[in-house]
């Protein structure tokens, strides 16, 4: 998607500024670009915001898998119901 983290952040910022992205998302991206990395606090906040957004849209709170390196990945969403998965 990009040659480097700063390039990827710039790409994400362009999309965030033209979409309906929350100001907190843009703030995290701008801080990360300035720092050259995503802080642990901002990473946790971003995933927390993701979970809340999913719930606010009427979905079940997603289960996040946290790997030993600290990275998160959402588990399969509505794997038992393809229609719900597509809506998600």
């Amino acid at each position: 998607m990009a040659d480097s983290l700063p390039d990827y952040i710039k790409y994400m910022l362009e999309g965030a500024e033209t979409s309906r992205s929350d100001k907190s998302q843009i703030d995290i991206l701008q801080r990360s670009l300035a720092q050259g990395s995503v802080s642990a606090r901002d990473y946790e906040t971003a995933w927390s915001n993701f979970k809340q957004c999913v719930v606010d849209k009427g979905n079940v709170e997603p289960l996040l898998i946290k790997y030993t390196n600290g990275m998160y990945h959402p588990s399969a969403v509505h794997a038992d119901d393809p229609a719900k998965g597509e809506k998600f």
Side-chain angles (χ1 to χ4, degrees):
M1 299 184 102
D3 291 330
S4 66
L5 180 61
D7 287 344
Y8 183 68
I9 293 171
K10 288 175 190 173
Y11 168 78
M12 295 301 295
L13 266 172
E14 288 171 10
E17 291 167 350
T18 59
S19 69
R20 298 177 356 190
S21 295
D22 185 275
K23 179 161 174 21
S24 66
Q25 291 172 306
I26 294 171
D27 290 346
I28 288 172
L29 290 168
Q30 289 172 334
R31 271 194 305 277
S32 299
L33 184 59
Q35 296 169 1
S37 64
V38 180
S39 72
R41 181 178 179 190
D42 280 340
Y43 186 76
E44 293 287 335
T45 298
W47 278 106
S48 176
N49 291 350
F50 167 79
K51 284 178 30 175
Q52 188 60 51
C53 179
V54 169
V55 171
D56 290 349
K57 301 259 185 228
N59 294 287
V60 175
E61 181 177 322
L63 172 66
L64 297 179
I65 300 166
K66 188 172 186 177
Y67 296 101
T68 56
N69 65 1
M71 301 293 288
Y72 284 108
H73 188 272
S75 66
V77 179
H78 301 294
D80 60 332
D81 187 338
K84 286 183 181 178
E86 185 65 29
K87 178 181 180 246
F88 178 82

